[in-house]
Amino acid sequence: MTADRTGPVARTPYGAVRGRYEHGIAVFRGIPYAAPPFGPRRFRPPAPPEPWGGVRDAGAFGPTPPKPPYSEAFARYLADPSVPGDDCLNLNVWTPEPGHGARLPVLVWLHGGALTRGSSAVPVYDGRAFARDGVILVSVNYRLGVEGYGLFPDAPANLGLHDQLAALRWVHESIAAFGGDPGNVTLAGQSAGAISTGVLVAAPQARGLVRRAALQSGAPEVSDRAKVRRVVRRMATRLKVPATAAAFAAVDRDLLLRTQAEVSRRGSPVLGGPGFGIVVDGDLVPTDPLRALADGDAAPGVDLLMGWTRDEYRLWLVPGGLVEHVDRLGAVALAGAMARCRVGSEVPRGYRALHPSAGAAELVGQLVTDHMLRLPLHRLADARPSRSHVYEFAWPSLRPGLGACHSLELGFVFDTGETEEAVMLAGEGAPQALADTMHASWVGFATNGDPGWPSWDASHPTRVFDATGPHLTHGPRDAEFALWTRPLLPRQTPSPDRLAAVRRLRRSPVLRRR
């Protein structure tokens, strides 16, 4: 590494890059970790980038992977910038001490967005605060939607996950030139990024690349292969082409994105429906990752920081006006949630007893959130107690109706609450003291595995971040969890009536506007 005040230069295995100094932090943007995944590389595993001569400029974010925009309802709350170009398998590095020898801890960030949206260019993910506090931040772009997670007979599965693994390998090979310690890497992500993080930590091919992992509002999971195939087939039907990678590669890219958005519009974290997901592939994902982490010998020695927001479901229901709609549906909505979660009536009945004033939307939202997030993370912590730390983010947004919703904690973790994009979700006047504390917890975990509260044990210690200030409780929502006797295994096959309720909800005019 050569450092001067006009632009630091670092040498990667593929060539030198020149970054920028911003507020005393060296920032490198748009560094390719793999070749552009188009042309003959379309729907193929990531290949190394072509080496370059001279010094490549790394002053601006690189191209973002193809993705459809958020609907108007969600765009009021979530930013998702797009940068045109084919060289979209790139990453960014924020470092306080560029050059060999510093051996600083490294945090690698995988963005969320349901595996169809998002990028490393979202301003909330700016890594300056982490670098300021002695942790190198690396943020990664990876293939999305049908390009990254389509399931075809003539292409490998989980290409977006392969991209993330390639980025981790780049970090292992290159981060020392930026001042990092390749033996002290924390892989972190939120939502789909957290799911990916958990899957990668469990993957045998990633062993030795990750020392710690932070899972925010996402548990390791795999999708049913038949469900992902159905999405691809529906797209193929609309496009009037075979459901093969070769045929999809010949389709205009914008048309492919529009078709993907149309086919997936009825998908919802609450109601399920069409969508892309990681699948067991016999290669990178040889088995169910949650079972591998909880019951097997996957990821020995890897520490976990994991948690959720108190009102995850409100981001899924409030922007599209679904809270009122689900409340009106009442029993029909609860029947749909029972089918989604594969539980009998005793579970929602128990939730109703614990929260007698809650409307149907709140009961459905909490039920599905527990099924998707809290229960599997709870199980994971139980299986790895001395290596797990659990949190709940409970500060409510200042935007009406959102509460402590999905994604709200991001501006606090990154200490970027002053950005316009963080304000879109949190509102004006989010407490800086809470950001200071929460960000410090992630810095501590990435540095030495200690976020500042006890690891999981039989008393279920949970750090709660809320308006009263961070405090420790023991077992938040344990009363709800006790209602689930087999949280990770299907308990009932949904009845035809319950499946019909789910279909009615997905055909809702409100949902179609999402």
Side-chain angles (χ1 to χ4, degrees):
M1 166 75 73
T2 301
D4 62 59
R5 304 318 293 181
T6 61
V9 175
R11 180 162 294 278
T12 79
Y14 308 102
V17 290
R18 184 185 300 278
R20 303 288 188 273
Y21 278 106
E22 299 174 5
H23 307 282
I25 300 298
V27 185
F28 301 81
R29 296 183 174 92
I31 304 172
Y33 65 84
F38 299 105
R41 301 188 187 95
R42 192 90 175 268
F43 294 106
R44 307 310 303 169
E50 290 292 332
W52 58 87
V55 179
R56 181 183 181 122
D57 184 68
F61 285 114
T64 53
K67 56 186 175 175
Y70 281 117
S71 67
E72 182 179 347
F74 278 87
R76 294 198 299 266
Y77 299 99
L78 299 173
D80 194 12
S82 291
V83 181
D86 286 353
D87 205 357
C88 60
L89 299 185
N90 58 68
L91 50 76
N92 318 295
V93 180
W94 284 261
T95 175
E97 295 187 41
H100 286 275
R103 298 191 67 79
L104 296 170
V106 182
L107 191 148
V108 178
W109 178 253
L110 303 179
H111 66 81
L115 300 178
T116 58
R117 294 177 174 89
S119 79
S120 65
V122 175
V124 176
Y125 305 148
D126 187 285
R128 181 178 61 174
F130 276 104
R132 175 199 68 200
D133 296 330
V135 175
I136 294 176
L137 191 285
V138 180
S139 59
V140 178
N141 281 336
Y142 55 93
R143 277 174 283 184
L144 303 168
V146 72
E147 300 273 0
Y149 298 92
L151 200 53
F152 299 98
D154 55 339
N158 301 320
L159 290 173
L161 197 71
H162 280 274
D163 295 342
Q164 296 165 359
L165 178 62
L168 272 178
R169 287 172 171 160
W170 183 97
V171 169
H172 189 74
E173 296 170 356
S174 308
I175 203 62
F178 296 82
D181 179 358
N184 192 9
V185 173
T186 297
L187 183 62
Q190 185 265 347
S191 192
I195 295 171
S196 302
T197 294
V199 174
L200 282 172
V201 166
Q205 293 185 38
R207 184 168 291 192
L209 299 178
V210 177
R211 176 67 185 83
R212 303 180 186 91
L215 283 64
Q216 300 173 216
S217 300
E221 67 176 25
V222 287
S223 295
D224 179 66
R225 292 177 67 91
K227 175 182 174 181
V228 180
R229 280 199 193 98
R230 282 196 297 271
V231 180
V232 173
R233 288 170 181 158
R234 289 176 187 176
M235 291 183 63
T237 299
R238 285 175 177 262
L239 293 166
K240 296 181 172 58
V241 301
T244 64
F248 274 49
V251 174
D252 175 79
R253 203 179 298 177
D254 290 337
L255 176 59
L256 197 63
L257 285 178
R258 290 196 302 271
T259 305
Q260 174 185 302
E262 290 167 2
V263 167
S264 302
R265 70 186 179 197
R266 292 179 184 171
S268 163
V270 174
L271 305 176
F276 294 100
I278 298 166
V279 298
V280 172
D281 59 14
D283 177 25
L284 182 53
V285 189
T287 187
D288 181 274
L290 185 56
R291 291 187 182 278
L293 288 169
D295 302 335
D297 60 354
V302 173
D303 299 323
L304 299 177
L305 170 64
M306 49 194 174
W308 49 78
T309 71
R310 185 191 61 197
D311 307 311
E312 299 272 4
Y313 68 95
R314 288 190 169 273
L315 184 64
W316 306 326
L317 296 183
V318 169
L322 278 176
V323 170
E324 297 80 7
H325 188 64
V326 172
D327 280 340
R328 286 195 301 270
L329 288 170
V332 173
L334 281 172
M338 290 162 61
R340 173 89 167 90
C341 301
R342 295 179 177 269
V343 296
S345 58
E346 72 280 0
V347 176
R349 189 163 54 241
Y351 277 59
R352 174 72 73 187
L354 290 167
H355 306 283
S357 62
E362 181 177 348
L363 292 177
V364 167
Q366 294 289 11
L367 185 71
V368 174
T369 300
D370 284 351
H371 170 72
M372 291 172 54
L373 299 177
R374 297 188 184 101
L375 282 162
L377 292 178
H378 197 282
R379 163 80 182 280
L380 194 51
D382 279 344
R384 304 168 70 97
S386 64
R387 310 211 76 95
S388 299
H389 293 81
V390 176
Y391 74 90
E392 179 176 87
F393 182 83
W395 179 82
S397 170
L398 301 174
R399 300 289 301 273
L402 289 179
C405 67
H406 192 68
S407 301
L408 181 60
E409 87 285 6
L410 291 169
F412 294 83
V413 168
F414 280 83
D415 193 13
T416 52
E418 79 288 350
T419 62
E420 179 182 347
E421 291 75 13
V423 172
M424 288 167 62
L425 197 59
E428 296 279 358
Q432 180 60 44
L434 185 57
D436 292 342
T437 303
M438 196 168 190
H439 172 73
S441 294
W442 265 244
V443 168
F445 180 74
T447 301
N448 55 31
D450 181 8
W453 66 91
S455 59
W456 193 255
D457 59 24
S459 69
H460 298 172
T462 304
R463 174 59 61 92
V464 177
F465 296 93
D466 65 10
T468 64
H471 56 279
L472 194 68
T473 67
H474 291 81
R477 302 192 61 79
D478 275 0
E480 285 90 342
F481 293 172
L483 298 168
W484 302 70
T485 57
R486 297 171 66 194
L488 293 182
L489 298 174
R491 296 182 58 211
Q492 293 189 358
T493 299
S495 70
D497 289 343
R498 290 179 190 161
L499 292 173
V502 174
R503 287 193 289 270
R504 285 176 58 190
L505 285 170
R506 290 179 189 155
R507 289 195 295 267
S508 155
V510 177
L511 187 60
R512 287 200 297 270
R513 292 198 296 269
R514 290 165 66 83

